């Protein structure tokens, strides 16, 4: 799994996740990064997951943990790049009723 | 700077050597090439390698014979088997002789890099999948209750399902992996002294995976830590129970598996599960 981030506005960060988001210490980086960004004053986090090639139950759980951290801090979370199998995984788990998905980064930004 | 990992690549096709060299740059991987099994054995007698990647079909000593010879000399050696022509027999032979993993040609450079890195990072225990019995239609395995075993086993079983599309194979692999994880974690409490049993059965019209674990089982009425128990309007409901029990993030395994397979059937006790994927009959081919 690869993870990187950049600030697109002073209080808004994009976290780009790619590869296999699965059980193991690698996927823990997602929630650690979210905690760090919130601690540094970031209010809104957009996940770009277009490069994710596989996700399992734990991987999905990392996004729930992230959502809970962001919500507890009064922030906003958006997801972009979830298509096909990836979106289906969130849909089956009924998380598309809670997470806000957008077809592009631009549209995710505009929603904030 | 960490020393480069040493890898011996064994294939009679020079193009494969070139392709793997492109995927495994010399700053990180120190590659040695061999063009048949006997040459590989000769190289391995002189010095050990962190990883051996071998083709199956080669003149002289083929890849499966090479794997067996390596296993006799060095039970802990890590060997990856790659082939352009997967058959159930090559998969079974690779499992019996404890190949670390198995993959098909053609492959993408990124996929190879990922497979190699995972192999290099894997614990030195390639002998932990025990083949209890195996014919192409029915393979029975015994595995220790270690979470990392799932990622090791799945490439082999995925290769058995050659008549599914690549997407279907991924789906079934994901569903099976979730069930293995549940068996290891909840049934075996991730205790490597305990074992689970896995059966792969191929019928004329279906692929069936059976997973048995040594646990007490469960009832669907009493698994508040699993998302399958959530009310439809509360998809996070189980997270609190998981946090209370100190469980890892997740709990979506049964939901995902039900969606990705055609049928999911648990026994009465709840410690044994069948995952069934139907196969479209090939037109003009009689059923068994």
């Amino acid at each position: 799994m690869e993870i990187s981030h950049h600030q697109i506005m002073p209080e808004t960060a994009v976290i780009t996740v790619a590869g296999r988001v699965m059980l193991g210490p690698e996927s823990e980086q997602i929630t650690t990064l979210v905690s760090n960004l919130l601690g540094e004053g970031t209010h809104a986090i957009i996940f770009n997951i277009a490069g994710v090639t596989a996700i399992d139950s734990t991987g999905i759980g990392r996004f729930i943990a992230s959502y809970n951290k962001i919500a507890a801090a009064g922030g906003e979370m958006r997801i972009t790049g979830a298509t096909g199998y990836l979106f289906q995984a969130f849909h089956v788990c009924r998380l598309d009723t809670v997470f806000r998905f957008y077809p592009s980064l631009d549209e995710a930004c505009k929603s904030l | 700077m960490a020393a480069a990992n040493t890898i011996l690549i064994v294939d009679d096709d020079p193009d494969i050597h070139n392709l793997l060299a492109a995927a495994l740059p010399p700053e990180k991987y120190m590659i040695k090439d061999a063009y048949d099994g006997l040459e590989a054995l000769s190289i391995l007698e002189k010095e050990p390698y962190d990883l051996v990647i071998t083709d199956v079909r080669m003149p002289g000593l083929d890849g499966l014979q090479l794997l067996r010879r390596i296993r006799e000399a060095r039970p802990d050696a890590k060997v990856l088997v790659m082939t352009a022509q997967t058959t159930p027999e090559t998969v079974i032979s690779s499992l019996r002789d404890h190949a670390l993993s198995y993959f098909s040609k053609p492959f993408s450079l990124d996929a190879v890099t990922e497979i190699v890195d995972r192999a290099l990072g894997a614990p030195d225990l390639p002998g932990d999948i025990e083949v209890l019995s195996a014919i192409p239609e029915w393979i029975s395995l015994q595995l220790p209750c270690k979470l990392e075993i799932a990622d090791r086993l799945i490439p082999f079983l995925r290769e058995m399902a050659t008549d599914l599309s690549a997407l279907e194979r991924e789906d079934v692999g994901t569903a099976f992996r979730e069930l293995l994880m549940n068996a290891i974690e909840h049934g075996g409490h991730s205790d490597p002294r305990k074992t689970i049993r896995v059966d792969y059965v191929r019928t004329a019209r279906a692929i069936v995976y059976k997973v048995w674990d040594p646990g007490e089982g469960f009832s669907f009425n009493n698994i508040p830590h699993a998302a399958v128990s959530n009310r439809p309007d509360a998809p996070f409901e189980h997270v609190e129970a998981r946090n209370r029990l100190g469980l890892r993030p997740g709990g979506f395994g049964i939901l995902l598996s039900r969606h990705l397979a055609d049928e999911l059937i648990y026994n009465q006790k709840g410690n044994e599960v069948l995952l069934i994927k139907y196969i479209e009959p090939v037109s003009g081919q009689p059923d068994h």
Side-chain angles (χ1 to χ4, degrees):
Chain A
M1 191 198 86
E2 297 93 51
I3 185 167
S4 61
H5 74 282
H6 65 281
Q7 299 287 142
I8 52 169
M9 285 182 277
E11 291 187 352
T12 304
V14 175
I15 297 179
T16 302
V17 184
R20 293 161 58 86
V21 186
M22 313 287 265
L23 175 70
E26 280 198 341
S27 64
E28 209 172 323
Q29 294 176 74
I30 295 172
T31 40
T32 303
L33 179 56
V34 165
S35 295
N36 292 344
L37 289 171
L38 292 172
E40 291 163 7
T42 296
H43 175 77
I45 291 176
I46 303 171
F47 283 102
N48 181 353
I49 58 173
V52 171
T53 54
I55 192 164
D56 69 359
S57 176
T58 304
I60 290 170
R62 299 293 184 206
F63 287 98
I64 293 180
S66 299
Y67 178 90
N68 285 338
K69 282 176 188 286
I70 294 166
E76 298 280 345
M77 176 174 132
R78 303 284 187 268
I79 299 179
T80 184
T83 57
Y85 151 79
L86 198 51
F87 181 75
Q88 273 300 312
F90 286 104
H91 172 68
V92 166
C93 300
R94 303 189 194 105
L95 296 174
D96 54 334
T97 62
V98 181
F99 296 165
R100 295 178 67 177
F101 292 89
Y102 292 86
S104 70
L105 182 57
D106 195 37
E107 285 169 86
C109 290
K110 282 180 187 160
S111 73
L112 292 169
Chain B
M1 193 175 121
N5 292 114
T6 56
I7 301 175
L8 176 62
I9 296 172
V10 194
D11 199 307
D12 57 336
D13 182 349
D15 289 341
I16 294 297
H17 288 273
N18 293 336
L19 196 62
L20 288 172
L24 305 169
E27 312 86 76
K28 199 171 164 196
Y29 311 92
M30 195 178 293
I31 290 175
K32 176 82 174 171
D33 293 316
Y35 292 86
D36 61 55
L38 288 174
E39 184 187 2
L41 273 183
S42 164
I43 292 169
L44 288 168
E45 277 166 12
K46 294 185 188 106
E47 56 182 330
Y49 280 75
D50 296 323
L51 182 67
V52 178
I53 305 175
T54 182
D55 185 26
V56 173
R57 285 193 172 191
M58 292 182 291
L61 194 71
D62 72 27
L64 298 177
Q65 292 169 316
L66 171 65
L67 171 62
R68 197 161 304 135
R69 296 277 291 272
I70 293 173
R71 193 58 64 226
E72 286 163 8
R74 282 194 48 211
D76 61 340
K78 291 179 177 176
V79 181
L80 294 181
V81 173
M82 61 177 170
T83 181
Q85 286 148 327
T86 288
T87 65
E89 288 79 8
T90 57
V91 175
I92 290 169
S93 181
S94 302
L95 269 171
R96 282 192 194 282
D97 288 313
H98 306 304
L100 187 64
S101 192
Y102 187 106
F103 63 99
S104 292
K105 304 173 193 173
F107 43 73
S108 71
L109 298 188
D110 286 347
V112 166
T113 308
E114 186 177 322
I115 290 166
V116 167
D117 284 344
R118 283 168 65 188
L120 289 167
D124 296 329
L125 288 169
D128 48 8
I129 297 177
E130 185 183 351
V131 179
L132 299 175
S133 74
I135 57 172
E137 295 79 16
W138 193 332
I139 300 175
S140 296
L141 306 168
Q142 183 164 282
L143 326 168
C145 288
K146 301 188 300 184
L147 287 172
E148 59 268 27
I149 204 81
D151 283 330
R152 196 160 111 54
L153 175 62
I154 281 166
F156 294 99
L157 294 188
R158 191 169 47 210
E159 291 296 330
M160 294 293 289
T162 48
D163 42 7
L164 295 180
S165 70
L167 186 62
E168 285 176 318
R169 271 194 275 176
E170 279 304 318
D171 283 353
V172 173
T174 301
F176 175 59
R177 185 176 183 278
E178 293 290 345
L179 299 179
L180 270 184
M181 294 294 195
N182 282 347
I184 292 167
E185 197 168 26
H186 301 299
H189 303 291
S190 301
D191 179 349
R193 293 167 301 178
K194 295 181 177 175
T195 56
I196 59 170
R197 281 189 58 172
V198 169
D199 286 273
Y200 158 90
V201 180
R202 171 62 204 262
T203 76
R205 293 202 171 175
I207 294 174
V208 182
Y209 299 90
K210 186 172 84 169
V211 181
W212 171 90
D213 71 57
E216 310 81 35
F218 72 94
S219 158
F220 277 101
N221 297 325
N222 190 27
I223 44 171
H225 56 280
V228 72
S229 300
N230 292 344
R231 289 169 294 168
D233 59 344
F236 288 8
E237 202 168 24
H238 70 293
V239 173
E240 196 181 315
R242 294 186 76 82
N243 290 341
R244 204 170 46 245
L245 294 167
L247 297 173
R248 63 176 164 81
F252 296 98
I254 296 174
L255 270 185
L256 283 174
S257 299
R258 269 188 184 164
H259 169 71
L260 296 171
D262 289 314
E263 289 193 62
L264 198 64
I265 304 170
Y266 281 87
N267 69 348
Q268 183 182 356
K269 188 177 170 185
N271 71 332
E272 198 162 15
V273 59
L274 295 176
L275 181 152
I276 303 169
K277 180 71 181 174
Y278 296 121
I279 300 166
E280 292 293 326
V282 178
S283 174
Q285 187 179 321
D287 290 346
H288 290 207

